[in-house]
Amino acid sequence: MSAYDRYFLMKESDVADYVTAKMPDFFKLPLKLSVKEIGDGNLNYVFRVVNEADGRSLIVKQAGLTLRISAAMKVSTDRNRIESEILLLQDKYAGGLVPKLYRYDTVMCVCVMEDLSNYRLMRYALMEHKTFPHFAEDITGYMVNTLLNTTDAVMEHKAKKDLVKRFINPELCEITEDLVYTEPYKDNKKRNIVTPENLDFVKKELYGDRFLHLEVAKLKFEFMNNAQALLHGDLHTGSIFVKDDEAGPGAATRVFDPEFAFYGPIGYDVGNIIANLFFAWHNGDGAGQTAFCDWVLTTAVSVIDLFKQKFLDGFTKNVTDVMAKTEGFAEYYLASIVSDTAACTGLELVRRTVGMAQVKDITTIADRERRVKAERINILCAKDCILNRASFTCGQDFVDALKRAVNYVGK
Ligand code: SR1
Ligand code: MG
């Protein structure tokens, strides 16, 4: 038995004791706790605790001193506090769309939260080519409510700056600055993973394109300096749980794992969603799942168009800044978010194709030739999204960019 007054990395066998000590009223007696480590991400340890006696369960998530993806990468365990505090905030802004946080512990770097085992990880469900009719509605509600409400357009400016301070997240931002905004174009840390058949293609299209480097450099400084809204910061389909069709709007989707949260450009979150839908599209396409692929593209269009519509409505209703109320400002602000979204879609497409943190949607495409082509399509679509970002204004523009790259590479 420990007082848990000094940090140590827990094993399954420690977690039952931790929960008994720290969550004494959660389970009914008698206690018959079973604990299983179920973490699937690159960074943390996630334990599911079930009381076999009453069937209740919860999740214990602990940050380790080094990352799961690489023992050589050390990142502050403060990420666990950031994740906990943003979950509380997001529950306020987008109630019901995030897991409930029961407690967090800044000594053990642990948060205890709602068990969402009745949901599935969206990436894996998409890899089984399942469709989720409420997804576009839910995710745009989540994004508009968490993002718009934390901007200077809506928040009192000193309160917003307090949030900027609380969510300074330098080490996790540095991971993104390296893995998304630098290494895919330079391979400066020699951590890129490039499919051998695409080596020459990547050398020409990414490492050798100095015009592209200039645009990505501009975007990197936008990411580091535009404290626009409190982002999730890692909004891919591995950070989303989904439920089957019969769950109604709002019940079908839960967004978790916001440990990369910080004040940054809104397009980063929205672009991550679109790029990850495109990864799912490739996986479905590789398996000949036409109806699924059509749903993915329709959903991508709806995500952008519903986001725009809800953002504008919310802006009109909730704007408080006197100058932001000026006629034409909301449209100007939103147009820049949509072009940032295009750029960030491109950045995510590239980094998951050649960077060190890849996605299973692409890496599990069994037919080698299809996988090689999918990667080329990602890179060309990405360049289109980055270089022509100012011309993206609606959902169809994103799908058109994917289709242009498909037509160019061939299937
Ligand atoms: C070193 S961490 C690699 C990636 O995993 C996280 O989910 C983020 O996407 C990060 O870039
Ligand atoms: Mg994660």
Side-chain angles (χ1 to χ4, degrees), residues 7-41:
Y7 175 86
F8 70 95
L9 189 61
M10 292 193 288
K11 297 187 289 303
E12 282 180 350
S13 52
D14 301 309
V15 174
D17 180 60
Y18 179 85
V19 166
T20 310
K22 300 288 189 181
M23 300 286 294
D25 302 324
F26 187 82
F27 297 111
K28 286 203 196 96
L29 296 173
L31 282 186
K32 192 167 178 269
L33 299 183
S34 75
V35 181
K36 193 166 166 27
E37 207 283 313
I38 57 165
D40 181 51

Side-chain angles (χ1 to χ4, degrees), residues 41-44 61 234 236 238-239 257 259-260:
N42 294 324
L43 279 77
N44 304 297
K61 179 169 180 179
D234 197 24
H236 56 80
S239 298
D257 209 14
E259 65 195 318
F260 280 77

Side-chain angles (χ1 to χ4, degrees), residues 350-367:
V350 167
R351 73 95 163 213
R352 298 292 191 186
T353 303
V354 303
M356 76 179 275
Q358 308 209 339
V359 287
K360 290 194 175 126
D361 323 45
I362 302 294
T363 57
T364 61
I365 296 174
D367 180 324

Side-chain angles (χ1 to χ4, degrees), residues 121-136:
L121 205 59
M122 186 173 189
R123 188 177 308 286
Y124 295 149
L126 293 177
M127 286 170 62
E128 287 172 17
H129 312 121
K130 302 264 188 279
T131 59
F132 296 93
H134 307 297
F135 178 69

Side-chain angles (χ1 to χ4, degrees), residues 41-43 67-70 73 75 172 175-176 179-180 191 233-236 239 257 259-260 268 272 348 351-352 356-358:
N42 294 324
L43 279 77
L67 303 192
R68 290 182 86 142
I69 191 175
S70 158
M73 291 177 79
V75 178
L172 274 76
I175 291 179
T176 306
L179 293 190
V180 179
R191 298 194 293 199
D234 197 24
L235 194 48
H236 56 80
S239 298
D257 209 14
E259 65 195 318
F260 280 77
Y268 191 76
N272 260 270
E348 175 76 357
R351 73 95 163 213
R352 298 292 191 186
M356 76 179 275
Q358 308 209 339

